[in-house]
Amino acid sequence: MKKDDCIFCKIANGEIPSRTLYEDEKFRVILDLGPVTRGHALLLPKDHASDLFELPEEIVSAVLTVAKKVAANMKEKLHFEGMNLVQNNGAAAGQTVGHFHLHMIPRYEKDGKNINWVPGNPTQEELDAVKNQIVG
Ligand code: 5GP
Ligand code: ZN
């Protein structure tokens, strides 16, 4: 189902043109308009889901299958050395467009980009507490 006021619904379903790298019945992969690196792409499901929490089970399992296939083609053509898959859920996590999307970010040796987080340094007790809160 599409959501009327969603720009990624319009792009995914071809109502707004995009630089499409891959398309099938369920997905479209497009170039990001504000790329972090050369070839930065976004994988969009054609049906609207705002984020991972809303994504239907059968789509969840297909996301990585499509991402792997497209990533292999991108790597062959663009000759990058690595790739970050990034997927933001909610404004607190940096999501700015409320339609699920997987960032596929090619990484080149010495590209000078830093999209990695700084590791924390919790105590053993803090780690135990969060683990217990989640799984008892
Ligand atoms: P988020 O911060 O929600 O994870 O990522 C949104 C991404 O969508 C950003 O990287 C931004 O550059 C990209 N973006 C926003 N609007 C458009 C658009 O209209 N077309 C394309 N191709 N990318 C967009
Ligand atoms: Zn949408």
Side-chain angles (χ1 to χ4, degrees):
M1 275 273 280
K2 280 188 292 171
K3 188 163 173 265
D4 280 347
D5 59 349
C6 175
I7 186 165
F8 278 7
C9 276
K10 291 189 170 72
I11 292 174
N13 290 280
E15 286 169 43
I16 294 178
S18 62
R19 290 180 178 81
T20 295
L21 306 182
Y22 173 87
E23 183 184 5
D24 64 22
E25 196 191 331
K26 299 257 178 234
F27 298 98
R28 185 187 293 269
V29 180
I30 63 169
L31 281 186
D32 194 300
L33 281 185
V36 177
T37 62
R38 188 165 190 269
H40 180 170
L42 302 172
L43 186 160
L44 314 175
K46 290 187 174 179
D47 283 339
H48 183 83
S50 64
D51 57 21
L52 179 69
F53 303 103
E54 270 196 8
L55 203 62
E57 236 10 92
E58 69 275 12
I59 296 297
V60 172
S61 53
V63 166
L64 269 187
T65 305
V66 171
K68 181 175 164 64
K69 182 158 60 177
V70 176
N73 183 43
M74 289 170 69
K75 191 169 197 299
E76 193 183 314
K77 305 289 171 51
L78 295 179
H79 307 294
F80 47 77
E81 282 80 38
M83 172 174 276
N84 291 114
L85 295 181
V86 178
Q87 200 274 304
N88 301 325
N89 298 283
Q95 186 177 11
T96 59
V97 181
H99 176 123
F100 177 96
H101 51 282
L102 179 70
H103 293 264
M104 302 176 64
I105 306 175
R107 299 303 304 273
Y108 304 86
E109 295 287 354
K110 304 194 181 77
D111 63 23
K113 304 296 177 181
N114 181 6
I115 60 170
N116 300 321
W117 58 85
V118 178
N121 189 24
T123 63
Q124 297 300 315
E125 290 72 24
E126 287 167 332
L127 288 172
D128 286 341
V130 69
K131 179 263 190 183
N132 290 335
Q133 190 172 348
I134 298 166
V135 297

